[in-house]
Amino acid sequence: MAMGEHSAVALHYVIDGPADGPPLVLLGSLGSALDMWEPQLPALTEQWRVIRVDHRGHGGSPVPPGPYTVAELAGDVLALLNRLELNRVNFAGLSLGGMVGMYLGSETPERIDRLTLMATSAGWPDPTPWQARIEAVSNGGTEAIAPAVVKNWFTPDYAAAQPDRVAWAEDSVRKTPDLGYLGCCQAIRDWDHTNRLGAITAPTLAIWGTADPATPEEPHGATIAAGIPGVRFERVDGAHLLNIERADEVNTLLTSHLGG
């Protein structure tokens, strides 16, 4: 099933938790792989069938030629749900994963039960920074941008206290194939879903980091809070990868939203 110009790719995924548990798809940020969700597993796998997924061009997923669109990334996820014979799932996405979640929530509402959006955006008023990042990766690969990108992922205090986590994060960006990273950057640059937020019918939780320089609440969180009917908006004291920096709080919010 293609939702963009190109056909879907067979995404890499890992399933944890009870086989008969309600399915929960976790989809992460640009430059990450499915191991970014490990802090969520202890809290979620007792009750939910947790399906962690790598975007196309990331982790263990194929790297088709770009550019990509968010519609195509969402088509990949739908193709995976069809392969797994899952008609309806809970979905939690952070950053790029949240964009895919918004697309699925508005365009295929019958497939999404409960939706969680973290540190994400419905579109960039000014896409210039994305064009600059595309040029940086085109010239120097993901290696050239890894330290600058990861500066946005954690607060300075957390980064200072957790150097191993910072090293893991930089390695995650570096290991992302240049073509996959570029294709997803192009998808983000061209993404504007603001006028479709009102079509999201799933009960939605939005979690925002108060110190997130990548997708700050103004304008990104505020746009989503204003646009999705009945959204529950929560803040945690963290930066972009708040599921890691504030894992306990995020896990509590998630399990509460999902009915745990």
Side-chain angles (χ1 to χ4, degrees):
M1 173 185 290
M3 294 189 73
E5 291 177 21
H6 304 105
S7 57
V9 303
L11 297 177
H12 175 241
Y13 65 96
V14 172
I15 299 180
D16 298 280
D20 59 348
L24 167 63
V25 173
L26 300 179
L27 192 63
S29 72
L30 174 70
S32 75
L34 51 77
D35 60 340
M36 72 165 267
W37 295 107
E38 285 173 5
Q40 276 58 62
L41 293 180
L44 296 175
T45 51
E46 285 184 22
Q47 188 168 347
W48 288 277
R49 183 186 182 196
V50 178
I51 305 156
R52 294 179 291 152
V53 182
D54 284 330
H55 292 283
R56 64 164 66 186
H58 285 64
S61 288
V63 189
Y68 311 153
T69 64
V70 173
E72 287 165 354
L73 301 181
D76 295 341
V77 173
L78 281 179
L80 175 60
L81 299 187
N82 293 339
R83 264 163 61 209
L84 296 175
E85 299 183 349
L86 295 170
N87 289 327
R88 199 170 166 87
V89 297
N90 299 294
F91 186 99
L94 187 145
S95 196
L96 179 57
M99 297 172 212
V100 171
M102 281 179 261
Y103 190 96
L104 294 171
S106 64
E107 308 314 305
T108 58
E110 71 283 357
R111 306 298 293 268
I112 302 299
D113 191 6
R114 287 178 174 270
L115 179 63
T116 303
L117 306 172
M118 304 180 225
T120 188
S121 177
W124 269 261
D126 175 17
T128 314
W130 287 107
Q131 192 55 42
R133 188 168 320 174
I134 287 165
E135 287 163 16
V137 175
S138 299
N139 293 327
T142 50
E143 174 81 30
I145 58 155
V149 166
V150 170
K151 269 207 168 88
N152 289 335
W153 282 10
F154 306 116
T155 59
D157 286 353
Y158 181 89
Q162 301 283 347
D164 290 352
R165 187 57 90 172
V166 173
W168 161 84
E170 291 187 4
D171 192 47
S172 178
V173 175
R174 284 191 194 98
K175 286 198 301 204
T176 304
D178 295 350
L179 287 177
Y181 195 96
L182 279 171
C184 287
C185 278
Q186 290 158 324
I188 295 169
R189 177 195 63 194
D190 299 337
W191 167 243
D192 182 3
H193 211 59
T194 312
N195 65 351
R196 294 295 297 153
L197 294 177
I200 294 173
T201 54
T204 303
L205 167 67
I207 311 176
W208 239 261
T210 55
D212 180 5
T215 51
E217 185 173 334
E218 291 293 340
H220 302 285
T223 300
I224 286 166
I228 298 178
V231 65
R232 174 184 168 195
F233 195 91
E234 299 284 352
R235 297 171 185 86
V236 297
D237 292 330
H240 196 54
L241 255 57
L242 47 85
N243 71 299
I244 293 173
E245 183 166 352
R246 290 293 177 183
D248 289 350
E249 289 160 77
V250 166
N251 292 347
T252 299
L253 290 168
L254 261 176
T255 52
S256 144
H257 178 61
L258 292 168

